[in-house]
Amino acid sequence: MEAPGAARPAALDALGALDAVSSALNGSLRFYRWTWTIADKRVENWPLMQSPLPTLTISTLYLLFVWLGPKWMKNKEPFQMRLVLILYNFGMVLLNLFIFKELFLGSYAAGYSYICQSVDYSNNVHEVRIAAALWWYFVSKGIEYFDTVFFILRKKNNQVSFLHVYHHCTMFTLWWIGIKWVAGGQAFFGAQLNSFIHVIMYSYYALAALGPQIQKYLWWKRYLTMLQLVQFHVTIGHTAMSLYTNCPFPRWMHWALIVYAISFIFLFLNFYYQTYNQPKRSAKTGKTAVNGITTNGVSKSESQSVVENGKKKKNGKAKGE
């Protein structure tokens, strides 16, 4: 028969575990409150910046749509959104061009260094201009969620890959941290470079959305992917230089950025191989085809045909006409 006191060590262990959990939670809460004391006061009242909840809510709704959207569209006809895509993509070109211009001119006027630049939290007009441009960059990543929405509404679900969702969701969510604490300094370089790449990328998408008469000139898609890969390597090099020079910028952000960029390099290399180097075999004909993947909802096959109102047309005539 078990002695009455035998259960006491187990109870004490349980209480000890509860105390450890409570202590960890209190420590995390104290750390969270401390981080807000060192946040950038210039941006604290800007839209979306008072709390992380709106950004996390938008990202959660995005992931729910990625999951539920294809189910909802399963028995529906795909939406024909050519005009919407043209306006959206050209709009994103203008937005990214604006961000690039503001960051380039603002950093030039502030005398920024491309090797090491600490964050200046003052209300200097150039610093505020840079912070505002970075905020717009953060917002643009939220707007880019519509890339996925349009794919799903047009039933281009093959385009909603892990790389696509990972890239969109993490960029918008993580850049909230960047704007909240480091809206300037070294953060300007990556945003400036990426906004420039996106000017080219959305120009490609906008031209592709114009139709078959333009798509035949868009032979340079693979070079756009190469440019994105170069971007990640340059970002790693720039960040490594900051670490080497012991730049007064949060080191954990530097290391996190390097790991993040490396993840993109592996994912984009896999995308490049799957798209350009690995032959595709047609399920109907058994013939091998290369580079048949779609871009922003426009495929190579659509360079010869276009779907309008549920009818496929080829060379200006509907099939069967």
Side-chain angles (χ1 to χ4, degrees):
M1 184 175 180
E2 188 176 2
R8 295 181 65 185
L12 290 174
D13 288 344
L15 288 173
L18 287 174
D19 286 341
V21 171
S22 176
S23 177
L25 289 175
N26 288 331
S28 299
L29 184 60
R30 285 193 299 270
F31 176 77
Y32 176 76
R33 289 172 176 169
W34 172 77
T35 61
W36 282 74
T37 65
I38 61 171
D40 192 337
K41 303 300 182 185
R42 299 171 302 174
V43 307
E44 61 183 357
N45 293 318
W46 292 6
L48 299 176
M49 299 314 300
Q50 294 91 341
S51 164
L53 290 179
T55 298
L56 292 175
T57 299
I58 293 170
S59 294
T60 301
L61 291 174
Y62 167 75
L63 292 175
L64 282 173
F65 187 80
V66 169
W67 176 41
L68 297 175
K71 301 178 187 296
W72 178 64
M73 288 295 299
K74 184 176 181 179
N75 298 318
K76 292 181 170 60
E77 290 295 319
F79 286 86
Q80 306 303 322
M81 310 179 69
R82 185 176 179 183
L83 179 60
V84 173
L85 287 175
I86 291 171
L87 294 175
Y88 170 75
N89 287 314
F90 275 119
M92 292 303 291
V93 170
L94 294 176
L95 177 57
N96 280 279
L97 187 60
F98 166 77
I99 294 168
F100 172 77
K101 179 205 47 121
E102 288 295 288
L103 287 172
F104 179 79
L105 295 179
S107 60
Y108 179 80
Y112 267 32
S113 167
Y114 279 86
I115 297 176
C116 173
Q117 184 63 51
S118 59
V119 184
D120 182 348
Y121 295 100
S122 73
N123 287 315
N124 175 280
V125 62
H126 303 306
E127 295 294 342
V128 173
R129 182 182 187 181
I130 293 168
L134 289 173
W135 180 85
W136 275 111
Y137 178 75
F138 155 69
V139 170
S140 76
K141 298 307 163 189
I143 297 173
E144 286 177 13
Y145 279 163
F146 282 104
D147 288 5
T148 314
V149 172
F150 295 149
F151 279 141
I152 292 174
L153 292 180
R154 300 176 68 224
K155 301 186 82 166
K156 303 287 185 179
N157 297 331
N158 62 308
Q159 292 293 85
V160 187
S161 62
F162 174 79
L163 168 59
H164 179 89
V165 176
Y166 171 73
H167 169 253
H168 281 71
C169 192
T170 54
M171 285 293 286
F172 180 58
T173 307
L174 294 177
W175 263 95
W176 185 88
I177 298 173
I179 305 305
K180 188 67 180 178
W181 281 278
V182 287
Q186 290 290 87
F188 93 100
F189 178 77
Q192 179 178 292
L193 179 60
N194 188 248
S195 60
F196 175 75
I197 299 295
H198 275 63
V199 169
I200 302 173
M201 185 183 77
Y202 279 106
S203 295
Y204 176 93
Y205 291 158
L207 292 171
L210 290 175
Q213 67 275 16
I214 300 295
Q215 291 165 15
K216 61 185 177 181
Y217 299 110
L218 300 179
W219 48 266
W220 41 277
K221 179 196 169 188
R222 72 160 60 210
Y223 300 104
L224 176 57
T225 306
M226 290 179 181
L227 196 59
Q228 290 171 314
L229 284 166
V230 169
Q231 170 195 200
F232 301 133
H233 284 86
V234 170
T235 299
I236 290 174
H238 178 259
T239 307
M241 179 64 72
S242 299
L243 288 169
Y244 178 77
T245 58
N246 201 24
C247 190
F249 194 85
R251 292 182 68 84
W252 72 268
M253 286 190 176
H254 279 144
W255 285 112
L257 179 57
I258 289 175
V259 173
Y260 190 50
I262 289 173
S263 73
F264 276 127
I265 288 173
F266 280 108
L267 289 169
F268 269 84
L269 282 174
N270 179 66
F271 167 79
Y272 187 91
Y273 174 76
Q274 296 290 336
T275 305
Y276 304 110
N277 291 350
Q278 180 171 294
K280 306 291 182 181
R281 185 168 295 276
S282 170
K284 291 183 178 180
T285 66
K287 294 180 179 179
T288 299
V290 181
N291 302 352
I293 196 165
T294 60
T295 55
N296 205 26
V298 181
S299 67
K300 270 202 161 186
S301 61
E302 289 176 320
S303 66
Q304 301 300 322
S305 61
V306 62
V307 178
E308 292 183 359
N309 300 323
K311 294 182 179 180
K312 180 167 281 191
K313 295 185 176 182
K314 190 168 185 178
N315 297 329
K317 294 183 180 181
K319 281 189 173 181
E321 290 182 1

